[in-house]
Amino acid sequence: LQKILILLQVTLSVVVGKTLMILFPNAMKRYILKMGEKSRMNRNPKFSYENWGPTFFSFKYLQFVLKVKWKRLEDEAFEGHPAPNTPVVTLGGEVCHLLDFMKDNRPLILNFGSCT
């Protein structure tokens, strides 16, 4: 049931977004660029709007968002319960799972950050 609700929500947002891109291309470009500022996508001068803007609200965009949202349904963590064994990608591109990094009785420490 949750997957169906997510499918309906994401599909509706993609249809509305695509329609607005067709009817109001300049306004949608400004909106998408504003979203890019929040995520810092547009800080790289070699990564222009033309590279990523038109991909918003495409069929591939729909597939990607659905895949991510459906995957997140499996990654719920609850206090007092085991941690989810979330898939992760190493810097070398290898896909493994979070709990693969556990060693003996040592605690697993996760450090999050970003490079800008």
Side-chain angles (χ1 to χ4, degrees):
L1 182 61
Q2 286 179 320
K3 283 189 174 185
I4 292 171
L5 291 174
I6 291 171
L7 172 66
L8 292 173
Q9 176 198 15
V10 173
T11 302
L12 179 64
S13 70
V14 167
V15 168
V16 169
K18 190 62 147 177
T19 303
L20 291 173
M21 281 183 82
I22 292 168
L23 296 175
F24 309 102
N26 292 331
M28 286 303 288
K29 180 178 180 178
R30 286 192 305 272
Y31 173 74
I32 291 171
L33 285 171
K34 195 172 203 173
M35 288 181 3
E37 287 175 14
K38 290 180 184 177
S39 66
R40 298 183 177 151
M41 286 177 71
N42 56 356
R43 289 205 179 169
N44 184 345
K46 294 182 182 177
F47 195 53
S48 67
Y49 171 81
E50 287 71 24
N51 292 337
W52 56 272
T55 64
F56 274 68
F57 311 116
S58 66
F59 184 69
K60 287 220 178 256
Y61 173 86
L62 172 71
Q63 288 177 309
F64 176 77
V65 173
L66 284 176
K67 182 180 174 184
V68 168
K69 286 186 174 273
W70 286 347
K71 193 68 183 158
R72 286 186 182 164
L73 287 174
E74 302 168 8
D75 291 342
E76 290 185 301
F78 300 98
E79 187 175 343
H81 293 277
N85 196 13
T86 305
V88 293
V89 180
T90 66
L91 292 175
E94 178 187 351
V95 177
C96 50
H97 289 84
L98 188 61
L99 298 180
D100 293 342
F101 296 97
M102 294 285 294
K103 301 255 194 260
D104 302 322
N105 287 331
R106 296 183 333 185
L108 177 63
I109 297 173
L110 303 177
N111 185 10
F112 297 93
S114 65
C115 297
T116 55

